[in-house]
Amino acid sequence: MGTSYQTLLVAAAIEPVCDALTAAGVDAIALPAAANRTAVIPREGALDFADPGELAERIGAGTGWATLANVVEDSDWLQLEAYREGRFVHRYRSDRPAPDDAARLAEFGTGEVDTARLGKALRGEFDGKGPVYAEFQHRLILNALYLDARGLTTAYRWADTSDLPGAVKVNP
């Protein structure tokens, strides 16, 4: 059994994201992923699963923020779902990347995102040897987006806020 986790990236600063999570009654950990980008680690429910897509819809619809739901399943595959204003707009799956994935996901990064580098990461191409596990590929993608991966690559059940700089525990 490999690594599994579900997280959410919100294209907004941490303070208003924490306010929105509190108002929505979401139990989570939030922390900065970059300037005006917040990682949200929602508490898991049954079967150690949190639905980041449902959270993306709820948070985005009420605020107008762009959100990116992240799911890694058993180290086998990665799924990223992009939402704008709570509406689903794009799905990336590591087992079937599409030619427009980099262009569709670059907006979640910061700075000058190199779409060629991002595309390479999305296709699972890297200069090392050995298998590309989903969580490793996720880190490559987040690095290409210039995001701090720590809050986007862990599950609530494993999270230690003392290891996550700027982390805020949100309780409903």
Side-chain angles (χ1 to χ4, degrees), residues 8-9 51-54 56-57 67-71 79-83 88-93 105 108:
L8 183 67
L9 174 69
D51 187 347
E54 185 270 335
E57 290 173 353
T67 53
L68 185 66
N70 303 262
V71 176
Q79 177 173 284
L80 303 174
E81 290 183 341
Y83 293 80
F88 170 80
V89 294
H90 184 73
R91 177 176 292 123
Y92 159 80
R93 286 276 310 248
L105 298 174
F108 291 97

Side-chain angles (χ1 to χ4, degrees), residues 48-111:
D48 288 333
F49 186 80
D51 187 347
E54 185 270 335
L55 183 54
E57 290 173 353
R58 286 175 49 205
I59 299 299
T63 61
W65 294 325
T67 53
L68 185 66
N70 303 262
V71 176
V72 166
E73 184 64 38
D74 259 349
S75 296
D76 291 331
W77 60 266
L78 164 67
Q79 177 173 284
L80 303 174
E81 290 183 341
Y83 293 80
R84 284 196 194 95
E85 298 179 355
R87 291 185 307 276
F88 170 80
V89 294
H90 184 73
R91 177 176 292 123
Y92 159 80
R93 286 276 310 248
S94 59
D95 59 345
R96 52 181 179 256
D100 67 340
D101 285 333
R104 304 284 299 270
L105 298 174
E107 74 175 273
F108 291 97
T110 60

Side-chain angles (χ1 to χ4, degrees), residues 2-169:
T3 300
S4 297
Y5 56 82
Q6 307 83 41
T7 61
L8 183 67
L9 174 69
V10 181
I14 190 167
E15 295 84 8
V17 170
C18 288
D19 292 344
L21 291 168
T22 299
V26 176
D27 194 1
I29 297 169
L31 65 149
N36 293 314
R37 298 292 186 271
T38 300
V40 177
I41 309 168
R43 180 185 291 274
E44 299 91 347
L47 304 174
D48 288 333
F49 186 80
D51 187 347
E54 185 270 335
L55 183 54
E57 290 173 353
R58 286 175 49 205
I59 299 299
T63 61
W65 294 325
T67 53
L68 185 66
N70 303 262
V71 176
V72 166
E73 184 64 38
D74 259 349
S75 296
D76 291 331
W77 60 266
L78 164 67
Q79 177 173 284
L80 303 174
E81 290 183 341
Y83 293 80
R84 284 196 194 95
E85 298 179 355
R87 291 185 307 276
F88 170 80
V89 294
H90 184 73
R91 177 176 292 123
Y92 159 80
R93 286 276 310 248
S94 59
D95 59 345
R96 52 181 179 256
D100 67 340
D101 285 333
R104 304 284 299 270
L105 298 174
E107 74 175 273
F108 291 97
T110 60
E112 292 292 322
V113 173
D114 178 344
T115 55
R117 178 180 170 214
L118 177 57
K120 186 176 175 182
L122 290 163
R123 291 187 300 276
E125 300 169 6
F126 76 112
D127 296 329
K129 295 180 181 178
V132 178
Y133 292 107
E135 61 271 24
F136 176 75
Q137 184 178 8
H138 192 203
R139 285 184 179 275
L140 291 174
I141 292 164
L142 296 170
N143 288 337
L145 292 169
Y146 303 111
L147 298 171
D148 184 338
R150 288 177 283 193
L152 294 165
T153 58
T154 193
Y156 188 95
R157 64 190 176 278
W158 306 323
D160 180 349
T161 55
S162 66
D163 293 334
L164 300 169
V168 176
K169 201 159 193 165

